[in-house]
Amino acid sequence: MSANLRVGFIGAGKMASALAQGFIKGQAVKCASHVSASCPIADKHLLEHMKQMGCQTFHCNKELMDCSDVVILAVKPQIMPLVLPDIKSLVASKLMVSIAAGVQLAQLQADLNPDSKIVRLMPNTPCIVREGVSVFCSGPQVTPQDNATVKQLFGTVGQIDEVKESMIDAVTGVSGSGPAYMYLIIEAMADGGVKQGLPRDLAYKLAAQTMVGAGRMVLDTHTHPAVLKDEVCSPGGTTITALDMLEKSGLRTSIMQAVEAATKRCTQ
């Protein structure tokens, strides 16, 4: 990856902002001015955070393309058909990375041109604190050097893995949408703590750090979550009693159904 790599975002929503902040913090780019973003004038308020970070901003996608080596398509899936014709003639030498849920490589290739170097990637918002997880697949024109650039760039904001495209929608259901599931659980745990008399700030801190620690245990120990769960459960103790209640309320099934619903939504 070039030390002078310039990254542009077509679209300036929350995911683009999270990635931009993560790239700058992780020193994936030399300076904030090597990151740029564009959006229509009607959505100019979306560029304010980018400006505050020191990024370049545009209302013209062609201007952004001119000053970017890697272009991240960060618009909603339904907006993609409006954006691609505008940049079709400019993509030949660019590495294009789409983070639009459900938009397949073949569709992107057809709307741009057969020689386009296109990567389909699904990140998540914890990239902003460099604890994200991204998964990608590459089009036929993408070179090993391009793949290395993607891995190095997104590796600065968390973990990254290459998979078959057939897995990307399921990835969206697990990790793309997953932070929202985790926030809901954190909020519920904190509310439970407040109900039992804990101060609100302490309850959120305990719940959030417990989730961080549990995740780190799974990743660092390479131990099955069921084994780690059993290690916390003493016979007749508080934890197994709590887990009994969670099983009765259908937590496990609800989360599995949430992943399934998010995955299916990618194809609708």
Side-chain angles (χ1 to χ4, degrees):
M1 187 170 69
S2 170
N4 292 314
L5 186 74
R6 294 178 179 270
V7 180
F9 292 89
I10 294 181
K14 292 180 180 178
M15 194 66 246
S17 180
L19 285 169
Q21 191 164 338
F23 291 156
I24 294 167
K25 287 181 177 179
Q27 299 182 329
V29 290
K30 187 175 181 180
C31 57
S33 64
H34 282 204
V35 176
S36 57
S38 65
C39 73
I41 294 177
D43 297 326
K44 62 182 180 181
H45 63 282
L46 296 176
L47 295 173
E48 289 305 314
H49 190 219
M50 294 288 192
K51 290 180 180 178
Q52 291 171 7
M53 287 189 281
C55 304
Q56 296 187 72
T57 59
F58 302 97
H59 295 303
C60 174
N61 293 335
K62 293 179 180 179
E63 290 182 17
L64 177 134
M65 294 284 290
D66 287 341
C67 67
S68 303
D69 303 306
V70 177
V71 178
I72 299 176
L73 298 167
V75 297
K76 293 186 181 301
Q78 62 268 28
I79 303 299
M80 197 70 79
L82 303 177
V83 169
L84 298 185
D86 186 43
I87 62 172
K88 183 174 182 177
S89 63
L90 303 171
V91 302
S93 61
K94 309 293 182 182
L95 177 58
M96 309 295 294
V97 179
S98 170
I99 62 172
V103 182
Q104 297 184 351
L105 284 172
Q107 180 181 343
L108 294 164
Q109 204 88 42
D111 289 343
L112 290 173
N113 63 63
D115 296 325
S116 303
K117 298 191 296 183
I118 305 173
V119 169
R120 182 182 173 192
L121 184 144
M122 179 50 58
N124 63 8
T125 52
C127 287
I128 197 171
V129 292
R130 301 177 62 203
E131 287 289 350
V133 58
S134 302
V135 169
F136 77 100
C137 59
S138 299
Q141 304 304 326
V142 175
T143 67
Q145 184 177 351
D146 294 326
N147 276 341
T149 295
V150 171
K151 290 178 180 179
Q152 290 174 34
L153 178 61
F154 285 87
T156 65
V157 293
Q159 297 185 41
I160 180 156
D161 289 289
E162 185 174 6
V163 299
K164 296 179 180 178
E165 186 174 17
S166 59
M167 298 181 183
I168 296 286
D169 290 343
V171 167
T172 303
V174 175
S175 59
S177 300
Y181 318 155
M182 301 301 105
Y183 299 143
L184 191 65
I185 292 171
I186 289 171
E187 184 180 30
M189 288 175 64
D191 283 347
V194 171
K195 184 178 180 181
Q196 299 306 314
L198 293 179
R200 173 69 64 180
D201 289 350
L202 177 60
Y204 275 127
K205 182 178 180 180
L206 293 173
Q209 184 57 48
T210 296
M211 183 167 287
V212 170
R216 183 52 58 193
M217 284 284 287
V218 173
L219 292 173
D220 288 359
T221 67
H222 304 287
T223 303
H224 194 287
V227 174
L228 294 172
K229 175 207 69 179
D230 289 350
E231 290 176 352
V232 187
C233 295
S234 302
T238 58
T239 306
I240 193 63
T241 302
L243 289 180
D244 178 53
M245 182 61 68
L246 292 174
E247 292 289 2
K248 288 176 179 176
S249 64
L251 176 67
R252 188 191 301 263
T253 299
S254 294
I255 292 177
M256 291 175 66
Q257 290 176 341
V259 172
E260 181 180 1
T263 302
K264 287 182 177 179
R265 183 68 180 87
C266 290
T267 61
Q268 296 175 351

